[in-house]
DNA sequence: AAACTATATCGTAATATTGCAATATTAAAA
DNA sequence: TTTTAATATTGCAATATTACGATATAGTTT
């Protein structure tokens, strides 16, 4: 117990859940928004921008990276982060599909 | 510790994270997809459709409902569930905005 | 090389999540 | 009214997440 039973679900369902889970924390939403708003890659400003400790930010960045939502590039002794635009397209694609299915069907009773 | 420091983030960021967090589990993705694919409201079939125990499904439904992603309507001794279409629009709107910002900016270095 | 800077990792405490058996609740049917 | 059916709640064990201090690592500067 305590563990998600991923084996009952499709790969696509697990992959989708895992992307959205990575975005399911306000600090990670804030990091994504910061990276996007900043008009360029961010090297070393993230810790100053978000009021959490450096290890905590580093951990959140790792999770975003594992989920494929951001990319990192080593730049001297700093690391430049930016959004993986493909991942955002994938998410939009997913919800676009959902919307199409909603629009195609008969209608709700609730 | 162990608790998310929501006070450091905007209401919008917390609200967005909380919706996406609700979708950040394969069982809840599967429930959403089932409700959408089913072309009508679902009264009582969810437990048979997803290989998790009845209490576990009930708990996931509660979380989806708390996050505003689904609606429930009492129908005799059963409960009919359906997707809250507005919530999907909200999510699409959020990622649409993100995409606009990405397209407006100079470009990545990564 | 020594000091400095940026980031990652380790270890750990506090809390949250997942899943289920048992039980409660509520409405319908017999 | 007893039984049946559908769903919710409670209680709990296993595991995951969140956050951070301390420390490690790696590149830069002096």
């Amino acid at each position: 117990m305590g563990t998600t039973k991923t084996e009952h679900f499709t790969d696509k369902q697990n992959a989708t859940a895992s992307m959205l889970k990575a975005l399911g924390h306000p600090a990670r939403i804030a990091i994504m928004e910061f990276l996007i708003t900043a008009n360029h890659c961010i090297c070393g400003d993230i810790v100053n921008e978000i009021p959490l400790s450096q290890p905590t930010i580093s951990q959140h960045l790792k999770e975003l990276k594992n989920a494929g939502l951001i990319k990192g590039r080593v730049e001297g002794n700093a690391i430049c982060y930016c959004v993986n635009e493909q991942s955002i397209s994938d998410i939009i694609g997913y919800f676009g599909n959902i919307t199409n299915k909603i629009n195609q069907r008969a209608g709700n009773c609730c």
Side-chain angles (χ1 to χ4, degrees), chain A:
Chain A
M1 280 159 245
T3 329
T4 297
K5 296 203 163 174
T6 53
E7 70 274 15
H8 293 321
F9 308 102
T10 66
D11 287 352
K12 171 89 178 175
Q13 285 169 336
N14 284 315
T16 304
S18 132
M19 275 198 138
L20 297 178
K21 184 179 185 180
L23 291 172
H25 190 290
R28 295 193 290 264
I29 287 284
I31 290 172
M32 291 296 281
E33 290 178 354
F34 180 56
L35 290 180
I36 285 160
T37 310
N39 212 37
H40 52 73
C41 288
I42 295 301
C43 313
D45 279 345
I46 303 174
V47 172
N48 306 318
E49 199 62 24
I50 292 172
L52 291 171
S53 75
Q54 181 269 319
T56 303
I57 305 273
S58 183
Q59 193 175 269
H60 284 308
L61 286 168
K62 191 180 180 184
E63 281 176 69
L64 287 170
K65 208 173 170 191
N66 285 342
L69 290 159
I70 63 173
K71 292 186 277 189
R73 193 169 57 80
V74 177
E75 176 89 0
N77 60 344
I79 295 182
C80 292
Y81 282 107
C82 63
V83 172
N84 178 7
E85 303 182 5
Q86 183 58 55
S87 67
I88 305 294
S89 301
D90 290 349
I91 292 172
I92 293 207
Y94 179 78
F95 285 106
N97 255 322
I98 294 270
T99 303
N100 288 343
K101 278 182 193 152
I102 286 176
N103 291 336
Q104 277 160 27
R105 80 190 164 157
N108 280 335
C109 63
C110 319

